[in-house]
Amino acid sequence: MLAQRPGWAETVTDSFGLAIYGLKEGHLSDTLLHRSKRMILDTLGVGLLGTTSSVFSKVVQYSKLYNAHNTSSVWGNTAHTLSPQYAAFANGVAIHSMDFDDTWHPATHPSGAVLPALLALVETFPKKSRPSGLDLLLAFNVGIEVQGRLMRFSKEASNIPKRFHPPAVVGTMGSAAATAKLLGLDSTRSREALAIAASYAGAPMANAATSTKPLHIGNAARQGMEASFLAVLGLEGNQQILDLDYGFGAYYSDYSPSVLPHLSNYKWVLEDQNVAVKRFPAHLGMHFMADAAAGVRAKVLAKYDYLPIDKINKVTLRVPNSRYINRQFPASEHEARHSFQFNACTAFLDGSVSVSSFSQSKIHRTDLLDLLQKTHIENPPENQANFDTMYCEIELEMLDKETFIERCNTFYGHWRRPLSREDLLKKFKSNASAILPMEAVEAIIETVDNLEKVNDCSELISLLQVKESQKQSMNMTSW
């Protein structure tokens, strides 16, 4: 048993309950507000774009089966409302449908499990007492914080995962913490929400690179919210769920938890560890690979003035050993998003990777398939599967044995090289304008920029909808 600290918690689990309840607006630093607003804006954009995906269409159809109390909005269309749990589920799936959402270290997708749950929950409040933008920011950061703290209890969690997909583990806990905060649960019921959420958590990595993977984020958002609702009703779980190796520790072989800092000198994880914002919709490792391949392309063009595909003898990729992202001939968009080979060859041929790179016509084009046939993987032992320390290197060997080599240690968009505001806005506008008219896109940017000053954060939700008349004028089809 951990030694008790005066005025604080005896157990790790109690300290989390006390933190969820006790963290206040005054704990939000300028750095935290800046980073979390960037995360919110990016997540809204990728979620809106994700409503165009086939997996999103399927889960909306499914969720309508549970539409007893349709109080919460499905992003992108005023014609669809669902119960809050299933609105969170559908919007969460949209966010991860293209693997375009933010990524943290240790590895997880932090925002997608939290933001859709909070926005769906906001709409359940009476109109006269809906949370403010500052309330939303606080709850969002509490949800992010719980994920960050839990991951730091395991060194294993720092590496690219092999067994459990992290958003389905810590994301579920983050959703529970965030919704407990927004609901105003006391420390005891916040603790119970985490205990309940732990029994919802977990999804295997085997479903990576399939259309099922986006459900991991949707389920985390939905089930964390359900855990908070059940805690309100008095459901109880193990009071030491975060202390035990057969509690939350079951997800990690090296789980070593500790009590959270006292609130009087609290330091948020997000203040020390920024997130990565992706420039194209694919697994984070692909961004190292794409930047390296674009660098090799520039060297080849400088020598030949064109791409001499027929003169390439061999392409060697030196990458970390991670089986689920080693796919030489991806057959689907989801496999392509998780293929070192595909993203390397695409970036070499086109100069970059984009949303359109994952269309069936692009995946199966002849020049790409020919180059993939020449591509081989090497796993240098020092290149460990860790987003903070890994690198990707590409070497082109020509028929005359001349070689071109480029390595990427930190891609643009990584937490060590964050996107500029200009490029973040460019990404958001490109994604959101696929669904919304530009005046709504600009209004969302302004609202998020000033979120801490917004009296009723449901104003933000209303901007995420496009009316049928607007939809028709934008030549969009119904889901």
Side-chain angles (χ1 to χ4, degrees), residues 101-390:
D101 44 329
D102 57 22
T103 305
W104 214 9
H105 177 71
T108 195
H109 303 282
S111 299
V114 173
L115 188 61
L118 290 175
L119 292 183
L121 184 58
V122 162
E123 294 184 274
T124 69
F125 284 74
K127 288 186 177 180
K128 292 184 178 180
S129 58
R130 282 185 172 165
S132 68
L134 193 56
D135 294 329
L136 178 67
L137 282 164
L138 178 60
F140 178 81
N141 277 291
V142 166
I144 302 301
E145 176 72 3
V146 164
Q147 294 178 71
R149 291 288 178 178
L150 290 173
M151 288 188 296
R152 278 157 181 76
F153 293 159
S154 163
K155 292 182 179 178
E156 176 188 324
S158 294
N159 299 324
I160 296 175
K162 296 179 179 179
R163 296 187 302 146
F164 294 106
H165 192 209
V169 179
V170 295
T172 307
M173 307 298 282
S175 173
T179 51
K181 185 63 177 177
L182 201 65
L183 287 167
L185 302 193
D186 63 19
S187 60
T188 298
R189 291 196 173 181
S190 295
R191 181 196 68 201
E192 299 300 349
L194 293 178
I196 298 163
S199 282
Y200 278 112
M205 285 304 301
N207 270 329
T210 74
S211 57
T212 293
K213 187 188 177 198
L215 271 62
H216 299 174
I217 291 284
N219 281 332
R222 174 177 66 86
Q223 293 169 341
M225 181 191 294
E226 288 182 358
S228 289
F229 285 162
L230 291 168
V232 169
L233 295 174
L235 198 69
E236 298 177 348
N238 192 303
Q239 294 184 11
Q240 296 184 47
I241 195 71
L242 302 183
D243 297 75
L244 304 171
D245 58 5
Y246 61 97
F248 188 77
Y251 295 107
Y252 300 107
S253 61
D254 62 346
Y255 185 68
S256 181
S258 59
V259 171
L260 295 185
H262 196 280
L263 296 185
S264 61
N265 57 354
Y266 200 85
K267 181 79 170 179
W268 302 77
V269 174
L270 186 58
E271 292 183 273
D272 287 327
Q273 178 62 64
N274 206 348
V275 299
V277 175
K278 298 178 178 180
R279 305 194 323 274
F280 58 89
H283 181 277
L284 198 72
M286 305 306 110
H287 293 252
F288 293 88
M289 194 74 261
D291 277 14
V296 157
R297 172 190 166 93
K299 291 180 178 180
V300 171
L301 287 174
K303 170 70 183 291
Y304 288 94
D305 235 9
Y306 71 104
L307 293 180
I309 306 299
D310 57 333
K311 296 181 180 180
I312 297 175
N313 180 49
K314 182 180 180 181
V315 179
T316 301
L317 308 181
R318 298 184 179 96
V319 297
N321 183 10
S322 186
R323 286 177 294 176
Y324 79 98
I325 44 180
N326 179 356
R327 300 173 184 273
Q328 187 169 7
F329 296 105
S332 69
E333 63 169 297
H334 298 287
E335 290 187 357
R337 298 182 201 282
H338 295 77
S339 166
F340 276 129
Q341 297 93 326
F342 174 85
N343 286 275
C345 293
T346 295
F348 177 75
L349 290 172
D350 302 335
S352 63
V353 183
S354 67
V355 173
S356 65
S357 299
F358 301 94
S359 64
Q360 284 298 302
S361 60
K362 290 289 185 69
I363 290 173
H364 298 295
R365 54 184 162 150
T366 302
D367 57 350
L368 177 67
L369 294 176
D370 289 345
L371 197 56
L372 287 171
Q373 188 71 49
K374 301 175 182 179
T375 302
H376 306 268
I377 290 282
E378 292 181 0
N379 302 127
E382 83 285 354
N383 192 9
Q384 295 301 302
N386 181 303
F387 292 135
D388 201 44
T389 60
M390 66 175 279

Side-chain angles (χ1 to χ4, degrees), residues 7 23 64 148 178 190 285 304 446 458 466:
L23 286 166
K64 288 179 180 178
S190 295
Y304 288 94
E446 183 178 359
S458 65
V466 58

Side-chain angles (χ1 to χ4, degrees), residues 19-39:
I20 292 168
Y21 173 70
L23 286 166
K24 306 297 182 186
E25 290 85 351
H27 289 98
L28 299 173
S29 66
D30 290 342
T31 297
L32 204 68
L33 290 173
H34 172 72
R35 289 180 175 176
S36 57
K37 286 193 289 186
R38 283 171 57 97
M39 294 164 70

